[in-house]
Amino acid sequence: MKLDTNNYSILEIREMLARKDLVVNKGYQRNASIWPAAPRSYFIDTILNDFPFPKLYFYEFLDRENRRTKREIVDGQQRISAMMDFLEGKFSLVRVSEDLNGKRFSDLDQDVQDSFLSHPVPVDVIRNAKKSEILEMFRRMNAYTLPLNDAEKRHSTFQGQFKWFINELAQYYADVFIEHGIFTNRQVVRMADSELLAEMVLSIEKGIVSSSNKVLSDLYARYDKQFREEKAYFRLIDEAFDFIISELAELRRTHLMKPYVVHALFCALIHNKHGLPGVSEKIGLKPIDQLTGDLQTAVQSLEALSGAHETRANEGEFSEYVWSCTAGTNREPRRVVRVKYLCKALRGELP
């Protein structure tokens, strides 16, 4: 078996398909169905913005009957279908392509069309191989692939409005997550940020509750087809992050920026101003129609909690808060304690 790396332009791939020099072998494709609008647009936007994407695999063989060399698509059918359908005007881009929402290929400027047609597509061409060897190659490649975590599985399973809402939020706040030390680059790649954002939506709807993969998957499923609350939920999340960015800059990369603390901080901020379902009863604090009381006092109080967390002060006035930041941080009892202390800190009501 021989593997050669090539770059074909999108125009060359279209011409190969037209000549039937490139054909589909459905036996290799795990899922030959057409991608929904959002992932198709996301892929086209990836090309238009020159982001890399995974290589395609073709199997080259001799068509003895016609005495011609042909290639089969063994991996990449959906990507090729998206490129060809976009070229033929079969769909317009949706809002996951922020700058080109609503545009078809014919609506693009001529230089953008030319760039798309000439865009190089990375392809590995398999030559001199038996079918059994190709299957073994993919088995071995998959053997070294990291198993998907829960967040990645959700984003692989669901393709509806809520998934893309979370995806857009994750892109929007990516720099914030990294700069504030909320997540590492690797955690962002593995979609830990998407999980945190989904947890925030869960809190907007349910208040302070325990979370699990099933609970979050149910949330994705509920809003897979329609998500009317999108704008309202974005405003709440953006309000909280705007406060974190503008007022808590000096607390970047401290223990206040641990993901589970950021989640509780979000809940505390939104409950203080707007109220969250059932939270007043759980923490004994009603909304005050604003994010904080005196800002300087609030920042000092948050610094005190962060310091107690960092030094693991298991005794003293913040020992209960420190307990809430240990194991089981996604369980309701510890979340309730964290939100209570953070609400009080923001109001300037800590001892």
Side-chain angles (χ1 to χ4, degrees), residues 146-294:
L146 287 172
L148 297 180
N149 60 38
D150 289 339
E152 291 167 327
K153 287 177 183 176
R154 285 191 292 273
H155 277 249
S156 175
T157 301
F158 298 100
Q159 296 296 335
Q161 290 190 24
F162 188 77
K163 174 256 183 77
W164 291 102
F165 169 70
I166 295 295
N167 198 68
E168 289 175 35
L169 282 179
Q171 288 183 315
Y172 189 71
Y173 294 116
D175 290 341
V176 175
F177 288 138
I178 299 300
E179 291 171 2
H180 283 67
I182 300 171
F183 294 112
T184 64
N185 287 308
R186 179 171 176 77
Q187 287 172 321
V188 168
V189 169
R190 297 305 306 274
M191 307 194 85
D193 53 345
S194 295
E195 182 151 305
L196 173 61
L197 291 163
E199 294 268 18
M200 290 176 173
V201 172
L202 181 66
S203 295
I204 293 171
E205 296 203 333
K206 303 291 185 182
I208 305 173
V209 295
S210 297
S211 69
S212 65
N213 178 45
K214 182 182 184 308
V215 169
L216 293 178
S217 293
D218 288 346
L219 181 66
Y220 275 71
R222 185 161 68 251
Y223 292 128
D224 198 44
K225 292 184 178 179
Q226 195 170 54
F227 184 40
R228 292 194 180 98
E229 296 81 357
E230 178 177 347
K231 290 182 179 179
Y233 288 3
F234 172 77
R235 284 195 295 268
L236 292 174
I237 292 171
D238 193 53
E239 185 175 22
F241 273 112
D242 184 60
F243 176 84
I244 291 170
I245 294 165
S246 61
E247 306 299 346
L248 302 183
E250 60 194 86
L251 287 168
R252 288 185 301 177
R253 301 190 175 276
T254 67
H255 277 55
L256 191 73
M257 293 297 130
K258 296 288 185 182
Y260 52 89
V261 180
V262 170
H263 172 264
L265 180 60
F266 166 78
C267 291
L269 286 164
I270 299 306
H271 179 68
N272 271 352
K273 185 170 181 180
H274 304 283
L276 288 174
V279 171
S280 294
E281 294 77 12
K282 290 181 180 179
I283 67 172
L285 297 169
K286 294 182 179 180
I288 57 173
D289 299 322
Q290 55 189 21
L291 298 176
T292 70
D294 177 71

Side-chain angles (χ1 to χ4, degrees), residues 69-124:
T69 297
K70 287 194 172 183
R71 298 180 180 90
E72 290 179 340
I73 304 167
V74 296
D75 190 61
Q77 180 185 343
Q78 289 174 316
R79 280 165 284 171
I80 288 177
S81 293
M83 289 186 285
M84 297 305 111
D85 286 352
F86 183 62
L87 276 178
E88 295 171 15
K90 291 183 178 180
F91 68 94
S92 58
L93 300 176
V94 297
R95 65 167 200 203
V96 296
S97 178
E98 186 175 352
D99 297 331
L100 299 171
N101 184 19
K103 291 186 179 293
R104 296 179 184 268
F105 179 75
S106 59
D107 298 323
L108 303 178
D109 293 340
Q110 188 61 53
D111 58 335
V112 178
Q113 291 186 21
D114 293 345
S115 178
F116 184 81
L117 287 168
S118 62
H119 194 282
V121 178
V123 179
D124 273 0

Side-chain angles (χ1 to χ4, degrees), residues 15-52:
E15 291 171 345
M16 283 192 284
L17 288 166
R19 296 193 304 265
K20 299 191 183 305
D21 290 340
L22 179 64
V23 296
V24 175
N25 185 326
K26 295 182 179 179
Y28 292 116
Q29 303 297 302
R30 289 170 294 179
N31 183 0
S33 62
I34 295 175
W35 279 342
R40 296 183 109 198
S41 293
Y42 193 66
F43 177 63
I44 298 301
D45 190 72
T46 295
I47 295 172
L48 292 171
N49 285 285
D50 289 322
F51 286 111

